Amino acid sequence: MKCLLIASESAEVLFHWSDREYRQSIQEKYGVSQEEGEGLPAFEDILSTLFAPIIISCSTLEDSYTSFTTENNHIYVLHQFDECLYIAVNGDGEEKEDDLRRKLYVLKKMVEVMFGMVTLSGNLLRKELRPQDTEQRARLWKYLQSLLDTYSLLRENDQSFLVEAVERLIHPQLCELCIEFLERRLVQQLNSSVERAGEEVLHAFVLVHTKLLAFYSSRNASILTPSDLLALIVMAQNMYPSNVDLDDMSPEDADSTSGSGPETFYTPEPSPSSRSSSSSEKAGRGETPVFEFVDPEIQMAEDSLHTLEINPPDPASPRRVFLEVLHKDGLYPMMPHSMYCLSLWPGITLVLLTKISSSALAISVYKYLEDFDKLEKRLHEGHGGPASARSPLNMQDIRSKMDKFIKSLEPHDLQYAQLQNVWAEFKSRAFSRAGSGFNKDLIPWCKNMKTQLCGIYRQCFLTDSLSADVTHRLSAGLQERAQAMVREKLVDWKDFLLVKSKRNITMVSYPFFFFFQTLPIPYRSTVCFVVC
């Protein structure tokens, strides 16, 4: 009896996920009120009718509730993200309020990774989550639902997602070998190839099920946050679900399946030294908590994975993802990247993250969104408000830069014309003598500017289909060569890795953030290093 819902302020369902028990329960109750001979409406219409009072009350009340329990012990948790309301429901007693709140933040994170800064505009997000084409909407919702299914499965059956952690397989010899290979051969060859079509590989990592075997970032790359990395692991597992083969094999059996090699390789090593992991040296100060995890039942994991019914995508078609980027001048969330998931063997995946050629445009859009957001807050509070003291704005400088930015865009695009018109109206109201100047009358035009900027972002990074745009991605041949190179390097180790990645291993945790960056300490995540 579980349900997740995203709704607009007008009580329109933008996305929903529910299990079979919840759907049957709602349809049975709704069917009782139907007149004889009248069929049931679409399930999303039922949800819209049932949730409308909750949604409207949250949008109209100044101090609205964030959770409540009904007479039949159904728990509802609500959270307003920008212009959209996220709702989680549980009716079987398996989840508490904290569990539901956790799921809402996971859903929000996955939506951000999929749509980037479009999530900052409720109107544009509505177009993305609820396209007019019903078949397109069904495909999109099925994909997002499958991501939630994958996350739920991993949280139930995988220790790294149980404690919200990025987990690494540590063996100094193998890790050093793989990282050196990724740096000196794979990434260098990809970035020096003419077949990369303007894309630059920033990150390359190898996953064994959900655990990191090796991770390399180029010198031009920003740090990949644990929050983004775990979201990418969910997406990789969704593309290539692991056939969870959790044998209770003895160490001797594991040795016999892994091929030749020194005996010490199959013996658990001490925690990584400072030489093998600089991250562990930084995070290992002080006392560290220890988590122990017991493997789940094999059949339940396999059945759940097979029910996802998501066909493996064409490896040559990347998926656009939006991740945090840390530059010397600040943090920029939701920057566009291309994600290539290349299956090496069942359970072992190579993931490449590339910087696309037009990514500088996203940085400019974010800066202007920040400027207009700060201006809007100043206008709400008045020029003497606290926001104006914290974030002074040079509007003449912003005006000059915005003029140059608009001129740099493609003038034939419809979105360009709309942005130009709104900006011209903004300038006439704010800067001309006949205009009203910088007062609260300008607030709607600040909102309009933010919507138009998000529209430019949407047109540049979401509207064009990646699968159709074959001229701006790593060629299929280049991806195949990358696959072959890594397979050749790991072929003697793959059986060992697959066995050891499913052993019960002690985890040492270090504090970081995952999906729940705005939540208190109980929702903080960790980056964990495990020894194989």
Side-chain angles (χ1 to χ4, degrees):
M1 293 285 287
K2 301 175 179 66
C3 178
L4 284 173
L5 188 79
I6 303 177
S8 66
E9 293 179 339
S10 60
E12 185 177 28
V13 175
L14 304 182
F15 168 77
H16 70 82
W17 171 92
S18 57
D19 61 12
R20 183 180 302 173
E21 291 77 11
Y22 186 85
R23 291 194 296 271
Q24 289 177 345
S25 173
I26 294 299
Q27 288 175 336
E28 288 173 0
K29 292 179 181 178
Y30 197 89
V32 173
S33 63
Q34 298 295 304
E35 296 180 4
E36 186 176 355
E38 183 179 350
L40 287 174
F43 182 69
E44 61 187 79
D45 294 335
I46 299 177
L47 290 179
S48 180
T49 301
L50 292 177
F51 282 93
I54 300 173
I55 298 168
I56 294 173
S57 64
C58 284
S59 61
T60 55
L61 296 175
E62 292 185 2
D63 297 322
S64 61
Y65 41 82
T66 58
S67 64
F68 62 89
T69 303
T70 61
E71 293 181 354
N72 57 356
N73 291 322
H74 284 205
I75 302 174
Y76 289 71
V77 172
L78 307 89
H79 201 292
Q80 187 83 30
F81 290 107
D82 297 313
E83 300 175 35
C84 296
L85 181 66
Y86 287 60
I87 304 174
V89 184
N90 180 268
D92 54 19
E94 294 182 357
E95 297 171 310
K96 306 301 181 185
E97 283 188 24
D98 288 345
D99 300 315
L100 297 178
R101 192 167 288 111
R102 188 184 308 269
K103 289 172 69 174
L104 290 183
Y105 275 82
V106 171
L107 175 57
K108 180 62 165 64
K109 179 65 181 181
M110 300 313 298
V111 170
E112 287 178 347
V113 171
M114 289 176 61
F115 301 112
M117 284 182 233
V118 170
T119 59
L120 303 179
S121 169
N123 185 43
L124 294 180
L125 182 60
R126 176 191 174 279
K127 293 180 180 179
E128 291 299 324
L129 282 175
R130 194 181 172 87
Q132 292 183 351
D133 186 336
T134 54
E135 291 186 4
Q136 181 184 353
R137 186 193 314 169
R139 287 194 301 269
L140 172 66
W141 284 14
K142 183 177 181 180
Y143 174 69
L144 186 51
Q145 289 165 355
S146 71
L147 289 179
L148 295 173
D149 288 336
T150 300
Y151 167 78
S152 299
L153 174 67
L154 293 176
R155 179 161 173 78
E156 292 173 3
N157 300 319
D158 191 281
Q159 65 181 13
S160 59
F161 282 84
L162 177 69
V163 298
E164 296 162 17
V166 178
E167 207 175 350
R168 287 183 59 189
L169 291 173
I170 296 295
H171 184 282
Q173 176 187 353
L174 183 55
C175 288
E176 185 176 350
L177 182 73
C178 290
I179 293 173
E180 182 179 356
F181 172 78
L182 292 177
E183 175 185 6
R184 298 186 179 180
R185 287 199 58 194
L186 182 70
V187 175
Q188 277 193 12
Q189 288 194 24
L190 292 177
N191 286 340
S192 61
S193 173
V194 294
E195 298 178 49
R196 64 187 179 95
E199 292 200 345
E200 177 188 358
V201 179
L202 298 180
H203 306 279
F205 56 93
V206 178
L207 290 172
V208 184
H209 296 300
T210 60
K211 298 176 177 62
L212 278 176
L213 170 63
F215 189 103
Y216 171 73
S217 297
S218 69
R219 294 181 180 179
N220 299 329
S222 172
I223 296 173
L224 193 61
T225 64
S227 171
D228 286 340
L229 185 52
L230 279 174
L232 294 175
I233 292 174
V234 171
M235 297 178 76
Q237 277 289 300
N238 187 66
M239 288 185 184
Y240 299 109
S242 298
N243 293 319
V244 185
D245 238 348
L246 302 179
D247 316 8
D248 284 333
M249 298 179 68
S250 65
E252 291 77 11
D253 295 332
D255 293 348
S256 64
T257 62
S258 55
S260 60
E263 184 178 355
T264 55
F265 182 79
Y266 308 109
T267 304
E269 300 286 348
S271 295
S273 63
S274 59
R275 181 179 67 85
S276 63
S277 177
S278 59
S279 299
S280 61
E281 179 181 348
K282 293 178 183 178
R285 301 177 184 134
E287 186 176 351
T288 55
V290 175
F291 299 90
E292 291 188 356
F293 181 79
V294 179
D295 280 336
E297 295 181 2
I298 303 172
Q299 192 61 47
M300 179 179 67
E302 287 187 345
D303 290 346
S304 300
L305 280 168
H306 289 308
T307 58
L308 293 181
E309 298 179 354
I310 297 296
N311 295 324
D314 177 8
S317 299
R319 179 167 289 277
R320 184 61 48 79
V321 292
F322 300 91
L323 312 172
E324 291 185 3
V325 169
L326 181 62
H327 279 291
K328 58 184 179 180
D329 57 340
L331 177 69
Y332 295 94
M334 298 178 280
M335 293 293 112
H337 295 71
S338 292
M339 176 187 182
Y340 298 81
C341 261
L342 309 176
S343 178
L344 303 177
W345 297 280
I348 304 181
T349 308
L350 170 66
V351 179
L352 303 174
L353 292 174
T354 64
K355 173 185 177 182
I356 62 177
S357 57
S358 58
S359 59
L361 178 68
I363 294 178
S364 298
V365 169
Y366 181 74
K367 287 180 178 179
Y368 293 126
L369 285 172
E370 271 198 323
D371 289 337
F372 283 102
D373 190 59
K374 290 176 183 178
L375 176 60
E376 185 180 341
K377 290 178 180 177
R378 287 182 59 182
L379 296 177
H380 271 294
E381 298 172 356
H383 289 289
S388 61
R390 289 195 307 268
S391 54
L393 292 172
N394 184 340
M395 289 307 301
Q396 290 296 338
D397 182 56
I398 293 173
R399 176 184 181 180
S400 174
K401 290 180 178 178
M402 178 60 73
D403 285 335
K404 293 178 181 178
F405 173 74
I406 292 178
K407 288 180 181 179
S408 70
L409 300 175
E410 295 291 338
H412 61 274
D413 290 333
L414 175 63
Q415 193 64 52
Y416 165 86
Q418 293 174 345
L419 174 61
Q420 190 178 45
N421 292 338
V422 173
W423 175 236
E425 185 66 25
F426 180 95
K427 288 192 295 184
S428 68
R429 292 173 178 269
F431 297 104
S432 69
R433 293 183 179 180
S436 57
F438 288 90
N439 55 41
K440 291 188 176 182
D441 293 339
L442 202 61
I443 290 177
W445 293 97
C446 287
K447 294 181 182 294
N448 285 344
M449 280 301 300
K450 291 193 293 184
T451 298
Q452 295 305 320
L453 286 167
C454 288
I456 292 290
Y457 179 95
R458 174 178 178 261
Q459 179 176 289
C460 293
F461 304 114
L462 281 177
T463 303
D464 294 333
S465 171
L466 280 172
S467 59
D469 189 11
V470 296
T471 61
H472 293 88
R473 69 186 191 196
L474 304 181
S475 70
L478 193 60
Q479 294 178 52
E480 290 172 2
R481 291 199 293 274
Q483 261 180 311
M485 289 168 62
V486 182
R487 279 176 178 160
E488 182 181 0
K489 199 68 177 177
L490 294 179
V491 65
D492 293 332
W493 308 91
K494 67 181 183 71
D495 293 329
F496 162 79
L497 291 170
L498 290 170
V499 171
K500 287 300 184 181
S501 69
K502 288 302 174 184
R503 300 291 296 172
N504 294 328
I505 301 170
T506 300
M507 298 179 65
V508 183
S509 66
Y510 308 109
F512 272 96
F513 291 96
F514 176 32
F515 292 116
F516 321 111
Q517 297 165 335
T518 59
L519 292 182
I521 289 177
Y523 297 97
R524 291 182 180 177
S525 73
T526 55
V527 172
C528 295
F529 297 84
V530 298
V531 181
C532 68

